[in-house]
Amino acid sequence: MLSLFIVSGLGVLAMLAEIFKFKKYVFPIVLGGLIGALGALYMEWQTPKSYALFDNMIVFDKMALAFSGVIIVTAFFWFIFANDYFEEESNVVDHTALVLFALTGALMLTAFKNMTTLFLGVEIMSIPLYVLAASKKRYLASNEAGFKYLIMGSFASGFLLFGIALIYGATGSFDIAEIRQYLTDNAGTVPSFFIAGVVMMLVAMLFKVSAAPFHFWAPDVYQGAPTVITALMSTIVKTAAFIAILKLFMIGFSGAATVWSGVLAAVIALSLIIANFTAAVQSNVKRMLAYSSISHAAFMLMVVLANVRSNASVSGILYYSLAYSIGSIAAFTVFYNVSRNGNETVEGFNGLAKRNPLLAACMTVAMLSLAGIPVTSGFFAKYFVFTTLIGTEYKWLLILAVLTSAVGVYYYFKIIIAMYFKNAETTEPVFFETSNKLVVIITTLITLIIGFIPDVITGLFVY
Amino acid sequence: MLGYTITQWLFGILSFLSIMFGLMVVFSRNPVSSVLYLILTFFCIAGHYLLMNAQFLAVVHIVVYAGAIMVLFLFVIMLMNLNEDQEPQRTWLTKIIAAVAGGLMLFVMVGSLKGSEQLQLQSYGASQVGLVKNLGKVLFHDFLFPFEIASVLLLAAMVGAIMIGKRDIK
């Protein structure tokens, strides 16, 4: 709870920096604040309050705290990485404030217990992002990205609200625990508009994680938005939206699984096929990473599909989101520096191994992790997801997932091949800010460490 | 009258009018008249709120939606100077796809709501819940946290609007 207050307070503080002229200190203040928020999370972890706060609106149990931790750690690295970009921008303060507000929404999504907090969390997270996607005002692609995201996102929010209204009409409650109770009490006699509501909420949430067939906005928005914002969207936002889906469907609508599991299985299969095959033919790296994020969304949805409330599934998705976020941050940081000259294609990586050997090695680890090659954390992430699905009737999805992952290896290796086996025109090292170098190295180390000893994360708590 | 009470008559008339005006919003070709029909739709919905004994909501609905937001809409549309002939022509394919998708949505909604009139109505609290006093109690007690956190949402929207709108000063 305290971390939520700290992050939203930081947002307000960052806003004031322009007026009271402490713009230069915003960056250290934000980093300090995020460490403080992490400390607050740790304190609450020692004495977790599993009871809900504010009349059942929000509950910071161990699950919420762990996922908040993933989000804050990612945000910490993201801020160090993005500081360099912000220095070139005139409105640093607005950017920082908006990102912190989006972070507030993300933290709410980890801890919501009520549909009202869910909806507000989704909106608080999305609205700053619409603006941030369009923040390069002079670039048509950025404007297009912001506009597309806004229109489609508002449409999805409309679906979410309509779904919530229908579910409230059937159950008379916004509380997900009460909805769960309602489903067990009235099994078999649930009115059909409740089911319509569940499907509508599923559609809206799938839009937020950009699963196929609701993924059409993702490549354009990811490509058009500034690279740092794309990194934010594909890590923090995605993690937060996943926790929301996980809580909503595994806790709230678990009893109505027969309704949504078939739909979800189809969505996962479609996402895997569309994302991996389309990513393989992309030449723009940002677009490729957008499609790769769709396929990762499909993997994370598998845990929801398994619909088993167990330690393995919750810590599996926790591990997956951490591995994916950290790997993406490393990849985006390297890509941001490589594409400084405006070349966003794979050719930009040509000869990086000779120019910056250390960073090329880090990028290789990030790519291997995203592809799911053993020893890196990405492999164990996929492994944990597969083990939750193995006991269910959706084993055919596993075969599809393994086959499409093989396609995935192809496009991740395109970048590795470009770095090691292609020659660039120059052999001059690419300019990297020291802070960016640190981010890349530390995130790579984390990827390797949690890959070698996954128990650090999976053994964190017993659900 | 015909075995219906006055409330039921009012409900029927208001529902008919709101659906009709809603359709007019979609069908009228001139954007300005669309907006005007939308305002009429909002008034009809406010009437529904009154029937449900939610005076506060009815007044807020008129003041905020019909008053503030729609005026803003009108300004924007007039500033953009949209005319009928500037409307982009859509191809038959997109029209058919939109009609099928929308029709399916309608089909699902009607299908899922069919039969719900036989459901036992649960009492969700007293009929006085829409009055200002009771609404305030709910808002500042049960829904205190969402009410407060909505301020972050509004703040973010304001900061965003200013950031998009202001000129870059380097």
Side-chain angles (χ1 to χ4, degrees), chain A residues 1 4 12 15 54-55 57-58 88-91 94-95 98 101 108 116-117 120 123-124 127-128 131 134-135 137 159 162 166 169 172 174 191-193 196 200, chain B residues 105 108-109 111-114 116 119 122 124 141-147 149-157 159-170:
Chain A
M1 194 70 230
L4 187 70
V12 177
M15 238 172 51
F54 290 107
D55 280 295
M57 283 298 156
I58 204 154
E88 299 165 13
E89 283 286 313
S90 58
N91 26 24
D94 305 350
H95 271 97
L98 283 176
F101 289 144
M108 273 179 76
T116 41
T117 26
L120 278 169
E123 286 304 293
I124 293 175
I127 284 183
V131 179
S135 62
K137 280 179 260 176
F159 267 82
F162 204 169
L166 287 176
F174 286 127
S192 41
F193 62 89
M200 282 182 143
Chain B
M105 183 83 198
V108 168
M109 288 321 300
S112 67
L113 286 170
K114 191 175 159 290
S116 59
L119 287 175
Q122 293 172 21
Y124 299 142
H141 186 265
D142 300 351
F143 289 87
L144 178 68
F145 181 73
F147 182 77
I149 207 82
S151 59
V152 177
L153 180 63
L154 295 177
L155 200 60
V159 173
I162 291 168
M163 194 178 119
I164 288 285
K166 83 176 179 193
R167 189 178 299 168
D168 283 328
I169 314 154
K170 192 80 194 178

Side-chain angles (χ1 to χ4, degrees), chain A residues 322-334:
Chain A
L322 183 68
Y324 169 70
S325 301
I326 292 293
S328 297
I329 287 282
F332 271 108
T333 314
V334 175

Side-chain angles (χ1 to χ4, degrees), chain B residues 121-149:
Chain B
L121 184 70
Q122 293 172 21
S123 168
Y124 299 142
S127 61
Q128 307 291 315
V129 79
L131 302 180
V132 183
K133 193 178 161 193
N134 299 321
L135 198 68
K137 270 185 192 155
V138 171
L139 212 54
F140 288 100
H141 186 265
D142 300 351
F143 289 87
L144 178 68
F145 181 73
F147 182 77
E148 295 291 341
I149 207 82

Side-chain angles (χ1 to χ4, degrees), chain A residues 115 159 162-164 166-167 179 183 190 192-205 248-249 252-254 256-257 259-261:
Chain A
M115 298 280 201
F159 267 82
F162 204 169
I164 291 175
L166 287 176
I167 288 167
I179 291 167
L183 279 173
V190 178
S192 41
F193 62 89
F194 177 85
I195 291 161
V198 170
V199 173
M200 282 182 143
M201 287 190 79
L202 182 66
V203 167
M205 294 314 289
L248 199 58
F249 285 87
F253 306 145
S254 175
V259 178
W260 51 263
S261 56

Side-chain angles (χ1 to χ4, degrees), chain A residues 93-114:
Chain A
V93 173
D94 305 350
H95 271 97
T96 316
L98 283 176
V99 173
L100 285 166
F101 289 144
L103 212 56
T104 312
L107 292 184
M108 273 179 76
L109 285 182
T110 63
F112 78 94
K113 194 177 179 295
N114 195 296

Side-chain angles (χ1 to χ4, degrees), chain B residues 26-64:
Chain B
V26 185
F27 287 131
S28 65
R29 302 212 64 118
N30 190 338
V32 177
S33 46
S34 271
V35 172
L36 293 175
Y37 282 124
L38 196 54
I39 294 178
L40 287 175
T41 316
F42 283 150
F43 271 102
C44 293
I45 292 172
H48 274 296
Y49 285 140
L50 277 182
L51 282 185
M52 288 186 270
N53 205 14
Q55 291 100 330
F56 180 72
L57 209 55
V59 173
V60 166
H61 196 258
I62 288 175
V63 170
V64 175

